Amino acid sequence: QGWVYLDFEPEAAGNVVIQASVDSPYYAAGVVTQSLDVRVLATDPWKDVLAVVDGDEKRWEEKTGYPNRGSDYPVTIKLAADSPLLGTELLLRWSGDSHEQLGVIVSPALEHSVPVIGREMAWTLTSEDRLDGRFYLELAGSKLLLPSPKKTMSLARNRVKVGEVREANKFPVVDENESVLLRVQVLHEVGRGDGEPVINAPVDWLT
């Protein structure tokens, strides 16, 4: 419906002004012009986005995330101080095992644009203690053509703690080649109380 297109492929970074001119005898100059501003980036800004987990900063897609069933899990990102994403909007996308199937609620909501007003942003995954699952998260920016690389996520009973402890009730004698039985109970840790015992949990014993 009257649209004309230019597929502009830049050769250098910077602010570019493109002028479109259309013949129009109505004007004294015989043409009508329109300027269009384009900001060209030298590098992909997704490469500088960091995922922050317990204070540890890694590239967004570098490490798998391990949300814990029955708990909240923050998906926190950190941008570079001069990131072109500052002042734009970002949203979070999900693929793989569906969040409805796994019983996960995301806040702010998936596919909902959030203004970038600082270097750090966070989404919270609140999961029921329902199912293990594997899924992928990616970011999309209001000013970028392509989304970020996908970040792998593995939802399971990833956080455990020690429950009951049963220590030795006798003194073993070396000369008699005696032994004693030591036991610890491993429980799944959830955000709201104790979870179920973990069956066949791997435990390292240092003697």
Side-chain angles (χ1 to χ4, degrees):
Q1 299 292 334
W3 290 100
V4 180
Y5 301 92
L6 170 68
D7 191 4
F8 171 62
E9 184 174 345
E11 297 181 353
N15 295 318
V16 180
V17 179
I18 299 174
Q19 279 198 342
S21 299
V22 181
D23 291 339
S24 178
Y26 176 84
Y27 297 97
V31 296
V32 59
T33 61
Q34 175 66 50
S35 297
L36 299 95
D37 297 326
V38 180
R39 182 181 178 186
V40 180
L41 305 179
T43 58
D44 184 356
W46 294 129
K47 295 179 179 180
D48 297 321
V49 176
L50 303 177
V52 184
V53 179
D54 294 331
D56 185 34
E57 300 177 357
K58 299 290 184 183
R59 279 184 57 173
W60 164 252
E61 74 279 13
E62 184 174 331
K63 294 188 68 175
T64 298
Y66 293 96
N68 188 54
R69 278 171 44 180
S71 303
D72 290 347
Y73 182 87
V75 177
T76 304
I77 64 169
K78 186 174 182 179
L79 306 178
D82 58 349
S83 174
L85 298 174
L86 293 168
T88 67
E89 294 183 340
L90 295 181
L91 58 81
L92 189 67
R93 289 176 177 162
W94 179 302
S95 59
D97 296 337
S98 73
H99 61 96
E100 295 94 346
Q101 175 189 2
L102 299 177
V104 180
I105 297 174
V106 184
S107 179
L110 295 169
E111 302 288 346
H112 175 73
S113 295
V114 181
V116 183
I117 57 177
R119 292 183 60 193
E120 290 197 10
M121 298 181 67
W123 288 261
T124 301
L125 311 184
T126 302
S127 66
E128 300 176 19
D129 188 8
R130 183 188 297 181
L131 291 172
D132 290 353
R134 192 174 185 85
F135 58 94
Y136 307 91
L137 298 177
E138 66 179 2
L139 300 163
S142 60
K143 296 295 185 180
L144 296 181
L145 293 172
L146 299 177
S148 72
K150 292 184 177 182
K151 181 176 181 63
T152 304
M153 306 292 288
S154 178
L155 175 66
R157 291 176 171 176
N158 289 317
R159 196 167 67 221
V160 299
K161 67 179 182 179
V162 174
E164 293 186 39
V165 176
R166 297 185 182 179
E167 299 182 357
N169 57 3
K170 296 181 179 179
F171 301 142
V173 178
V174 175
D175 290 348
E176 301 296 330
N177 295 319
E178 294 178 348
S179 64
V180 292
L181 183 65
L182 307 175
R183 288 186 287 182
V184 295
Q185 183 187 38
V186 181
L187 299 176
H188 172 224
E189 185 176 357
V190 296
R192 295 163 289 280
D194 292 338
E196 299 175 356
V198 180
I199 307 301
N200 297 324
V203 177
D204 293 328
W205 300 89
L206 301 178
T207 60

